[in-house]
Amino acid sequence: MLKDCYLFSLPQITDTRGSVTFMEGQRHIPFDIKRVYYLYGMQENTQRGAHAHKKLKQVLIALSGRFTVKLDDGKEIKEYTLSHPSEGLYVAPGVWRELQDFSSHAICLALTSELYDEEDYFRDYAAYRASLEKR
Ligand code: T46
């Protein structure tokens, strides 16, 4: 839930040529990475996400630009602004997420613990809240 979500720093090695950031599953990323996807081409007032996952763990990284991730576990709401490619946000299963306030040229990289499975999504907020009450 929300208390399990956190921002963290990835390695960054910088020299006169620029910087490199790298990540390995189970070392820098707290799971084996099964899937990678990225979101791009968002207009400034677009919202993405607006769902929760039952099992999926993921790390979000702003490869370029800036955006806000709003997390909600039914008890608490927290907002994180991602704006640096060496910073990751771990999003635990069972947390509703909304991505918004995209700057121009924002790219959101996502590393996930599971392959894509539509059955893993709560895309309806009322159904998500109802599932929390059954826990
Ligand atoms: C998340 C947020 C941050 C696939 O077929 N495979 C994939 O791996 C993904 C990510 C999407 N799709 C299909 C499913 C939909 O037909 O692409 C279409 C758009 O996906 P969606 O509406 O889920 O996109 P977002 O940006 O709202 O959500 C995505 C992830 O799905 C989600 O896990 O946490 O980014």
Side-chain angles (χ1 to χ4, degrees):
M1 305 305 278
L2 213 45
K3 65 175 171 34
D4 303 316
C5 301
Y6 55 89
L7 268 181
F8 64 101
S9 296
L10 289 157
Q12 177 181 0
I13 298 185
T14 301
D15 60 28
T16 52
R17 300 167 297 169
S19 299
V20 58
T21 284
F22 46 88
M23 56 211 84
E24 297 175 11
Q26 298 292 6
R27 183 179 291 185
H28 310 100
I29 303 297
F31 48 79
D32 285 325
I33 301 163
K34 284 207 185 149
R35 179 167 54 106
V36 175
Y37 67 89
Y38 40 97
L39 308 174
Y40 55 101
M42 285 75 71
Q43 300 293 318
E44 216 176 302
N45 46 11
T46 304
Q47 188 191 67
R48 301 205 64 130
H51 50 246
H53 283 281
K54 297 172 189 169
K55 186 168 158 211
L56 181 111
K57 300 171 184 166
Q58 71 179 352
V59 168
L60 301 176
I61 299 167
L63 278 192
S64 170
R66 186 194 66 249
F67 54 88
T68 301
V69 184
K70 184 171 145 194
L71 299 180
D72 173 357
D73 66 359
K75 289 192 184 131
E76 204 188 335
I77 292 177
K78 230 168 160 175
E79 283 195 3
Y80 295 90
T81 297
L82 296 183
S83 62
H84 199 280
S86 70
E87 182 176 62
L89 175 65
Y90 171 70
V91 184
V95 176
W96 187 266
R97 80 285 317 268
E98 293 171 8
L99 278 65
Q100 53 208 23
D101 304 328
F102 293 98
S103 69
S104 58
H105 307 299
I107 301 177
C108 171
L109 176 72
L111 310 171
T112 76
S113 64
E114 308 298 329
L115 300 179
Y116 175 73
D117 177 9
E118 188 57 38
E119 291 295 304
D120 190 61
Y121 285 74
F122 281 110
R123 290 195 185 264
D124 177 69
Y125 189 70
Y128 165 66
R129 292 298 299 260
S131 79
L132 295 175
E133 273 148 40
K134 284 189 207 139
R135 285 183 181 202

